Amino acid sequence: MTTEEFNYALPEKCIAQTPLKTRSNSKLMLLNRENGEIEHKNFSEIINELKEGDVLVINDTKVIPARLIGEKEETKATIELLLLKELGKDKWECLSRPFKRLHVGTKIFFGNDLLSAEVLEKKEEGRVIVKFTYEGIFMNILDQLGDMPLPPYIHEKLEEKNRYQTVYAKNSGSSAAPTAGLHFTKKLLEEIKKKGVLVTRITLHVGLGTFRPVEVEDVTKHKMHSEFYQMSKETAEILNKAKKEQRRIIAVGTTTTRTLETIMKKYQTFQECEGNTEIFIYPGFEFQAIDGLITNFHLPKSTLLMLVSAFSKKEYILNAYQKAIENNYRFFSFGDAMFIK
């Protein structure tokens, strides 16, 4: 299986640069994963596709303003750090730019010295381990100095930070938003609950590796990035009961899917747990956790495109993407949605 098999031509005009004024006004493509049949709807109509007893699983991770611009102590050269993973005791793994200008011991200052970082270790692919020094609460300082780490294909300035958060974002730690969830409003979620659909939460902190294309020719040789996940006892009980009663479990997003499938693969049941996952889902994968998937339209040659191809069929997915282009769907993070059922 080659990476090129998951390539497709996307006109640049299809890449959504800004969010819609109303979250739930995006388009929704319905895809029957068994036969490839397609319907076109509005996202607010997702409620008609859900039925009493279904379990809708959302990822309640919260994006942190992880992009910091500072100055190198000696030369005042501009340095950018992108926070990837908290390591404890004020240490973070970061993506740095320009990487070559940093050395072990280099100090970087941010926001009139409100925050400083010292490089402790240089790693591969532009990554560094730094230790931050500050007074007060780190997340408060980050809110003050940091910017939202928008994907590299978005070139417009985001006017409202909260539009790159889901309305149910709770647990801080992501470098990117679980974008399938951006379509839900609080009102729509309440209406879904009133219909008898159970809405429950997991947490997976999304890493920037989610945007990286697969660069190896053989898909199976790709190494996934590691991401932290967590499931509560309450969510595990809801999901196990649904499985026992053969009710549908519908994942909102590939991040939720990866979490649920990781846990099921590891324990053969859902249970209260936390850990790090490097699960790579591509065609041939046997799904044990989910029965439906709400997702966005993904980058060519990406692990996310491979995941949705595994849940349906690659031919059905690529055909659906072509239909989406023909029908002026908006692609990627701020784009439209697909319900694979």
Side-chain angles (χ1 to χ4, degrees), residues 168-340:
Y168 45 77
K170 181 181 178 184
N171 295 313
S172 295
S174 271
S175 301
T179 54
L182 296 178
H183 304 282
F184 288 94
T185 62
K186 288 182 179 179
K187 182 183 177 186
L188 180 57
L189 281 169
E190 285 306 313
E191 289 172 352
I192 287 169
K193 289 176 187 176
K194 283 178 185 174
K195 191 172 181 178
V197 176
L198 293 168
V199 180
T200 193
R201 300 164 176 252
I202 54 87
T203 302
L204 181 132
H205 292 323
V206 189
L208 289 175
T210 192
F211 299 121
R212 287 182 180 166
V214 177
E215 293 175 346
V216 292
E217 186 178 343
D218 181 349
V219 166
T220 63
K221 298 289 192 293
H222 177 70
K223 181 168 172 27
M224 285 291 285
H225 51 287
S226 176
E227 295 171 317
F228 174 82
Y229 69 87
Q230 195 169 43
M231 176 179 282
S232 68
K233 182 180 179 182
E234 180 188 9
T235 291
E237 288 174 350
I238 288 170
L239 293 173
N240 283 328
K241 193 167 187 288
K243 274 290 179 196
K244 185 178 179 182
E245 296 173 0
Q246 296 186 318
R247 291 183 281 113
R248 290 193 305 175
I249 294 172
I250 297 164
V252 177
T254 56
T255 60
T256 301
T257 301
R258 294 180 69 242
T259 303
L260 298 180
E261 294 297 338
T262 292
I263 293 168
M264 186 59 84
K265 187 177 180 182
K266 187 172 183 179
Y267 302 108
Q268 301 305 307
T269 187
F270 296 110
Q271 68 178 54
E272 181 181 14
C273 59
E274 64 178 50
N276 291 287
T277 181
E278 296 178 356
I279 193 170
F280 182 18
I281 298 175
Y282 54 88
F285 182 86
E286 291 187 12
F287 287 83
Q288 301 177 64
I290 71 168
D291 305 292
L293 171 59
I294 297 169
T295 186
N296 279 22
F297 291 86
H298 304 296
L299 279 74
K301 299 184 180 181
S302 65
T303 60
L304 306 184
L305 182 59
M306 293 171 188
L307 185 153
V308 297
S309 296
F311 190 59
S312 178
K313 284 184 180 177
K314 181 185 65 180
E315 293 75 19
Y316 293 164
I317 293 293
L318 291 178
N319 177 61
Y321 274 46
Q322 187 56 44
K323 296 296 182 189
I325 292 167
E326 291 169 8
N327 285 275
N328 299 313
Y329 276 65
R330 290 154 47 91
F331 278 62
F332 307 161
S333 293
F334 289 137
D336 295 315
M338 173 188 281
F339 180 26
I340 308 173

Side-chain angles (χ1 to χ4, degrees), residues 29-300:
M29 178 182 285
L30 304 180
L31 176 66
N32 184 315
R33 68 190 183 110
E34 301 297 337
N35 60 22
E37 287 183 0
I38 291 169
E39 294 180 69
H40 302 286
K41 303 282 185 180
N42 182 281
F43 190 81
S44 59
E45 296 177 270
I46 189 72
I47 192 167
N48 300 328
E49 302 303 317
L50 303 173
K51 56 190 179 186
E52 185 178 353
D54 283 348
V55 181
L56 193 68
V57 191
I58 57 178
N59 180 5
D60 67 3
T61 188
K62 189 173 185 178
V63 185
I64 59 175
R67 185 170 175 261
L68 288 167
I69 307 292
E71 289 185 345
K72 193 174 171 183
E73 183 180 36
E74 310 91 351
T75 63
K76 305 299 181 187
T78 299
I79 302 292
E80 177 181 328
L81 292 184
L82 207 51
L83 277 59
L84 298 179
K85 186 186 293 185
E86 186 176 7
L87 303 175
K89 297 183 179 179
D90 294 320
K91 295 176 184 176
W92 283 77
E93 180 180 337
C94 304
L95 201 61
S96 62
R97 193 167 59 179
F99 181 64
K100 290 181 180 178
R101 292 194 179 181
L102 298 181
H103 308 281
V104 172
T106 297
K107 289 187 177 178
I108 310 154
F109 292 89
F110 309 90
N112 295 321
D113 301 350
L114 276 176
L115 180 69
S116 66
E118 181 178 354
V119 178
L120 303 181
E121 184 183 345
K122 292 189 75 172
K123 299 171 78 73
E124 297 175 344
E125 299 176 322
R127 293 174 298 135
V128 292
I129 306 296
V130 304
K131 181 175 175 64
F132 286 106
T133 303
Y134 54 92
E135 288 186 10
I137 300 170
F138 181 72
M139 283 300 168
N140 289 350
I141 293 170
L142 201 59
D143 280 337
Q144 188 177 340
L145 300 180
D147 292 318
M148 279 296 180
L150 294 179
Y153 47 75
I154 291 178
H155 309 299
E156 298 282 335
K157 183 175 173 58
L158 183 63
E159 298 299 330
E160 299 175 59
K161 278 187 181 181
N162 73 329
R163 290 308 308 273
Y164 197 55
Q165 302 279 19
T166 61
V167 296
Y168 45 77
K170 181 181 178 184
N171 295 313
S172 295
S174 271
S175 301
T179 54
L182 296 178
H183 304 282
F184 288 94
T185 62
K186 288 182 179 179
K187 182 183 177 186
L188 180 57
L189 281 169
E190 285 306 313
E191 289 172 352
I192 287 169
K193 289 176 187 176
K194 283 178 185 174
K195 191 172 181 178
V197 176
L198 293 168
V199 180
T200 193
R201 300 164 176 252
I202 54 87
T203 302
L204 181 132
H205 292 323
V206 189
L208 289 175
T210 192
F211 299 121
R212 287 182 180 166
V214 177
E215 293 175 346
V216 292
E217 186 178 343
D218 181 349
V219 166
T220 63
K221 298 289 192 293
H222 177 70
K223 181 168 172 27
M224 285 291 285
H225 51 287
S226 176
E227 295 171 317
F228 174 82
Y229 69 87
Q230 195 169 43
M231 176 179 282
S232 68
K233 182 180 179 182
E234 180 188 9
T235 291
E237 288 174 350
I238 288 170
L239 293 173
N240 283 328
K241 193 167 187 288
K243 274 290 179 196
K244 185 178 179 182
E245 296 173 0
Q246 296 186 318
R247 291 183 281 113
R248 290 193 305 175
I249 294 172
I250 297 164
V252 177
T254 56
T255 60
T256 301
T257 301
R258 294 180 69 242
T259 303
L260 298 180
E261 294 297 338
T262 292
I263 293 168
M264 186 59 84
K265 187 177 180 182
K266 187 172 183 179
Y267 302 108
Q268 301 305 307
T269 187
F270 296 110
Q271 68 178 54
E272 181 181 14
C273 59
E274 64 178 50
N276 291 287
T277 181
E278 296 178 356
I279 193 170
F280 182 18
I281 298 175
Y282 54 88
F285 182 86
E286 291 187 12
F287 287 83
Q288 301 177 64
I290 71 168
D291 305 292
L293 171 59
I294 297 169
T295 186
N296 279 22
F297 291 86
H298 304 296
L299 279 74

